Amino acid sequence: MNELIRLAAVLGDYYHSHEWAKETLEKALNIGKEDIEIDYCHPEQLPEVLRKQPDAVILFKENRYNPLEENAETWMTEELSLVITNYVENGGSWLAWHSGLASYPVEGPYVKMLKGYFLYHPEKHQYVHYKAAEGNAVVPSSTSFEIMDEHYFVHCDKGNTNVFLVAESIDGKAEAGWFHHYGAGKVCCLTPAHNKNGLLNENFLNVLRNCVNWLILR
């Protein structure tokens, strides 16, 4: 019998459906047929969850609770960001997925750990073509697909991480996935996807699965 893989996930925010993300994650990881369990939690529960040392954590949630307000309330405190970075530095694994890259303090410990962050996306969704970067350790070199998506443009510290996925649309080109070690742990960042059709696209599900597999590989 295979050893149980324990994951934790914080999913959903004002702009992004918890249920869509949950369905996507469970479909990608074949939940029910594989030895994987996911602890779905709220941000304020992360310190307690991380003390249990999950094999990996998936964050699909931006930092703002109420983004339409002039003074939006945020959830990631300096203290919590240090709890997260300490977890990874001591051997944990972290996936910052789509909105998990958005609106976090650029000079804070969390973004420094990610080595990248969301800048903006064009107002209109466009067809975005995603393809594997050469010589990466996360997705097969043959990876190539197109979905209607929010094309994330990001800052990525390419000199200190490894780009595994790139994105191109009529609005330009951008890094769409990168990975690196952080202390004894691992970090993976992934920018697609936004709409339900994109999230459940079979090619994207394969990419998401590959990201989690890299994170939990020991």
Side-chain angles (χ1 to χ4, degrees):
M1 185 174 179
N2 293 332
E3 184 179 350
L4 180 67
I5 299 296
R6 297 180 303 109
L7 307 178
V10 181
L11 308 177
D13 54 47
Y14 182 88
Y15 293 112
H16 303 90
S17 164
H18 169 91
E19 289 305 318
W20 291 359
K22 182 174 183 286
E23 182 182 357
T24 299
L25 188 59
E26 294 186 354
K27 190 168 184 180
L29 301 182
N30 209 18
I31 299 300
K33 299 180 181 178
E34 299 288 343
D35 296 319
I36 297 174
E37 68 175 23
I38 304 176
D39 181 4
Y40 295 101
C41 61
H42 297 290
E44 59 270 18
Q45 297 173 304
L46 274 172
E48 178 185 353
V49 169
L50 295 182
R51 278 195 292 270
K52 299 175 184 176
Q53 295 295 305
D55 294 294
V57 179
I58 297 105
L59 179 65
F60 182 88
K61 183 181 187 69
E62 72 153 290
N63 193 27
R64 300 172 299 175
Y65 280 122
N66 50 342
L68 299 185
E69 299 293 328
E70 186 175 348
N71 296 307
E73 182 183 358
T74 57
W75 61 265
M76 187 173 285
T77 63
E78 178 86 5
E79 181 181 12
L80 181 52
S81 66
L82 290 173
V83 169
I84 291 169
T85 55
N86 286 339
Y87 155 75
V88 178
E89 199 165 17
N90 290 315
S93 292
W94 191 272
L95 174 60
W97 171 23
H98 195 63
S99 57
L101 291 156
S103 67
Y104 295 95
V106 171
E107 296 301 324
Y110 175 68
V111 167
K112 288 182 178 179
M113 179 187 80
L114 299 186
K115 302 189 189 302
Y117 54 90
F118 168 74
L119 292 172
Y120 70 95
H121 63 76
E123 185 177 347
K124 290 185 177 181
H125 291 189
Q126 304 287 356
Y127 279 104
V128 183
H129 184 78
Y130 295 98
K131 69 175 182 177
E134 292 183 9
N136 79 86
V138 175
V139 298
S141 59
S142 59
T143 299
S144 178
F145 63 99
E146 188 172 85
I147 57 175
M148 179 67 74
D149 205 5
E150 226 174 33
H151 189 179
Y152 262 31
F153 286 85
V154 297
H155 168 79
C156 176
D157 183 7
K158 292 184 288 186
N160 290 298
T161 188
N162 308 281
V163 174
F164 69 86
L165 194 70
V166 293
E168 184 171 4
S169 72
I170 63 170
D171 295 303
K173 298 180 180 180
E175 297 79 21
W178 58 94
F179 69 100
H180 52 268
H181 289 83
Y182 184 79
K186 293 179 173 181
V187 174
C188 186
C189 299
L190 181 65
T191 70
H194 185 78
N195 292 329
K196 188 173 185 178
N197 286 345
L199 286 164
L200 294 176
N201 176 277
E202 197 64 41
N203 291 296
F204 172 69
L205 293 173
N206 288 334
V207 169
L208 181 59
R209 181 184 305 115
N210 286 330
C211 290
V212 175
N213 284 341
W214 180 79
L215 288 169
I216 63 178
L217 182 67
R218 298 293 185 236

